[in-house]
Amino acid sequence: MFTLYHHPFCPTSRFVRVALAEYEARFELVVEQTWAGREAFLRLNPAGEVPVAIENDGPALCGATVIMEYLEDTRGYAAGKHRMMPDNPNARAEVRRLCEWFLLKFRDEVSGPFVSERIFKLEMPAGAGGGAPDSASLRTARANMRHHLRYLGYLVSERDWIAGDQISFADLAAATALSAVDYLGEVPWHEDGAARAWYARMKSRPSFRPLLAESVRGVRAATHYANLDF
Amino acid sequence: MFTLYHHPFCPTSRFVRVALAEYEARFELVVEQTWAGREAFLRLNPAGEVPVAIENDGPALCGATVIMEYLEDTRGYAAGKHRMMPDNPNARAEVRRLCEWFLLKFRDEVSGPFVSERIFKLEMPAGAGGGAPDSASLRTARANMRHHLRYLGYLVSERDWIAGDQISFADLAAATALSAVDYLGEVPWHEDGAARAWYARMKSRPSFRPLLAESVRGVRAATHYANLDF
């Protein structure tokens, strides 16, 4: 049994929830508001960030990539056809490149700014950075979103899945990152049919269902957010 | 044989050079000035960043973490006692956490700003961002440096090596990142004896020697930079 410290709209925490579900690992969730700087949490992860996972009485596993590799190390072989990491070293490198792309680059340029400005700032006290969203930051994120959507569309029209001919952690990373942005109605799906069709496949996976049931007080979900056939 | 696209003062490229050397992998170096946006390079890595490694005629391996995991996947078992990744999944998670710390967090907060402001800006044309260093950015990096040095000192006084009782990729990540900052004389070694003693051990490894021979036109190395007994 894992304990997962997360925030329901943190994109990289969403990735870990779906990855754990795909690997059929049982877990319970603890919401952590990282901006509060809770001391017991900083002892788990000196970087002060979610996601952090703990298996049974084990040590803290800090960060989405670390948890992903731990899942692969401990359950990859046993997962059989549900495995999210290929065997071939070159194929593994491509999965990891695209995980980094969506867990780090996309977060820095798109999902992080959207979620911080439009969701976290509602929950933060003013002294910790709460308040109205910064419109310049949102504008930049919107422009970046279109570039990333085009790149995603290119990948899934060249290949069956993002990193190759099998579903992988890279698909989970991209879809979960997009889901947080999609809640806010900030993904211009009409601009890319291939990306949209791939996302419809992803969001109908059972592992995805709990994400689609999340909501934020004060921010209504985009009408198509939980609609599998959008 | 690997081809490694790098910059001699890019901290994460330095990590890959040392990792390749520790695993006794042969490689040749190609300097890439990423700010030029060379099209053939963007086809290798759409993120436009170094390091990128190619083994023989294989695909591009993009980014320090991806290359590290590839080395481990393809040579880990054969490396025997020179292996830089432990077997135990919890120990692997700790190595990966600290690699991320030094390859990403330390780069964002310390080594990236120092190297960009004081080295890359000398090489960049004005239109690509070249020019005088930004002193506010250097001041912030200096303040961050002290926090990171203290954390490093704490780690290596609790343990034999950064991530545990064996040398690992985490030591290579930390030492190579520090080496680029140390060239500029920006590591206040007198503030932490434990960190300094650990770094003296690291810089006397044969894999480190080529880094200590690098220099930048127009920026003199700190007097102790290549001194193994500083």
Side-chain angles (χ1 to χ4, degrees), chain A residues 44-47 49 58-66 69-70 73-74 89-90 92-94 96-97 100-101 104-105 108 151, chain B residues 44-47 49 58-66 69-70 73-74 89-90 92-94 96-97 100-101 104-105 108 151:
Chain A
L44 292 179
N45 184 8
E49 286 166 9
L61 309 165
C62 302
T65 308
V66 168
E69 297 287 355
Y70 178 89
D73 282 349
T74 56
N90 289 333
R92 291 163 76 85
E94 181 66 350
R96 289 179 171 124
R97 175 180 80 84
E100 271 202 33
W101 189 285
L104 300 176
K105 190 175 172 66
D108 289 350
Y151 184 50
Chain B
L44 293 178
N45 184 9
E49 287 164 10
L61 308 166
C62 302
T65 308
V66 168
E69 298 287 354
Y70 177 89
D73 282 348
T74 55
N90 288 334
R92 290 163 77 84
E94 182 65 351
R96 288 180 172 124
R97 175 179 81 85
E100 271 202 33
W101 188 286
L104 300 177
K105 188 175 173 66
D108 289 349
Y151 184 51

Side-chain angles (χ1 to χ4, degrees), chain A residues 4 7 17 23 36 41 50 58-59 77 84 88-89 95 118-119 128 155 163 179 191 194 206 212 214 220 230:
Chain A
L4 179 65
H7 187 288
R17 283 170 75 178
Y23 276 72
F41 181 68
V50 287
Y77 188 75
M84 291 286 151
N88 176 284
V95 168
R118 295 196 49 198
I119 298 178
L155 290 171
S179 73
E191 293 186 6
L212 303 179
E214 294 282 0
R220 201 186 295 231
F230 70 114

Side-chain angles (χ1 to χ4, degrees), chain A residues 49-114:
Chain A
E49 286 166 9
V50 287
V52 171
I54 295 179
E55 180 158 29
N56 303 322
D57 300 320
L61 309 165
C62 302
T65 308
V66 168
I67 301 169
M68 168 185 101
E69 297 287 355
Y70 178 89
L71 273 174
E72 170 60 18
D73 282 349
T74 56
R75 290 155 172 83
Y77 188 75
K81 71 185 175 60
H82 297 289
R83 192 174 180 185
M84 291 286 151
M85 185 66 101
D87 269 325
N88 176 284
N90 289 333
R92 291 163 76 85
E94 181 66 350
V95 168
R96 289 179 171 124
R97 175 180 80 84
L98 289 162
C99 283
E100 271 202 33
W101 189 285
F102 288 100
L103 295 174
L104 300 176
K105 190 175 172 66
F106 185 78
R107 182 192 61 184
D108 289 350
E109 297 176 357
V110 183
S111 60
F114 274 131

Side-chain angles (χ1 to χ4, degrees), chain A residues 26-37:
Chain A
R26 285 189 313 133
F27 60 99
E28 54 184 22
L29 294 168
V30 178
V31 174
E32 185 71 33
Q33 294 188 316
T34 51
W35 50 87

